Amino acid sequence: MSGDLIVPDAALGVVVFVHGSGSSRHSPRNRYVAGALNEAGLGTLLFDLLTPEEEADRANVFDIGLLAERLLERTSWVREQPEAAGLPIGYFGASTGAAAALWAAAEPDNEIAAIVSRGGRPDLAGPRLAAVRAPTLLIVGGRDPVVVELNEEAQRHLRADGRLTVVPGATHLFEEPGALEAVAGHARDWFATHFAGPRGHL
């Protein structure tokens, strides 16, 4: 699996990005958010969940269990890197990647400090939502009504600290002027707050 790890000096923590279906570590939206996090002193890892051969089978793209397994492997890898040693880890998931992030965060031995979902499908994590212990921020666009409803329902199943933030006027991909900047700002504040809190220093 190819990936790009950036850990600024004196980083507060590392955010692992989990892209959605049809995307990759080269997603311009995720890279924009990652850049904003790096500027705020947060480390980031962008990586490909599947090989090109695996992506050819569309069933793999929506296999949340498989995607979560790959995420867990990468999370373990990050923890082994000298520049990330001892740092809290968070997940930033987009679309189906948000479901994989929540699924992986529900694993009993996987300590995750915070999660942010952008236009996510947390409903696809199903019964695992109740087992997520990490504070979770669900960001959705105000003009993405179906996903807003799915996130509202998922929030009700989260037992951890869960917050739903709606970006007014934004559609699913947050392509409107200022929409992605709002996502980056919300994500930066969420991770910075929770990386510095008690869960960030387990």
Side-chain angles (χ1 to χ4, degrees), residues 38-184:
N38 293 154
E39 290 177 5
L42 303 174
T44 55
L45 171 68
L46 292 97
F47 74 105
D48 292 330
L49 288 161
L50 301 170
T51 66
E53 293 76 19
E54 289 171 333
E55 286 180 348
D57 183 349
R58 292 296 290 173
N60 289 329
V61 175
F62 295 96
D63 186 338
I64 305 303
L66 171 62
L67 301 181
E69 181 181 320
R70 295 292 169 80
L71 175 56
L72 288 167
E73 291 170 359
R74 274 308 192 185
T75 304
S76 297
W77 178 85
V78 170
R79 291 191 170 112
E80 295 169 355
Q81 304 312 301
E83 63 267 45
L87 291 177
I89 292 178
Y91 289 155
F92 182 98
S95 189
T96 52
L102 289 160
W103 186 294
E107 287 293 312
D109 58 349
N110 185 27
E111 289 295 344
I112 298 301
I115 302 169
V116 173
S117 162
R118 170 181 66 81
R121 290 292 309 277
D123 56 296
L124 295 178
R128 284 186 168 245
L129 286 171
V132 174
R133 304 174 304 285
T136 300
L137 175 64
L138 306 171
I139 305 175
V140 293
R143 293 169 56 197
D144 194 10
V146 173
V147 173
V148 169
E149 184 176 336
L150 290 171
N151 277 257
E152 288 174 340
E153 177 62 23
Q155 185 187 22
R156 287 191 279 271
H157 292 280
L158 286 170
R159 294 181 180 174
D161 176 18
R163 184 181 305 170
L164 178 66
T165 295
V166 178
V167 178
T171 51
H172 186 62
L173 295 180
F174 296 88
E175 296 174 308
E176 295 71 26
L180 202 55
E181 290 87 340
V183 170

Side-chain angles (χ1 to χ4, degrees), residues 10-15 40-42 86-90 112-114 135 187-202:
L12 298 173
V14 178
V15 178
L42 303 174
L87 291 177
I89 292 178
I112 298 301
R188 176 199 62 221
D189 294 346
W190 190 260
F191 286 123
T193 296
H194 292 288
F195 282 170
R199 286 194 62 81
H201 298 281
L202 291 172

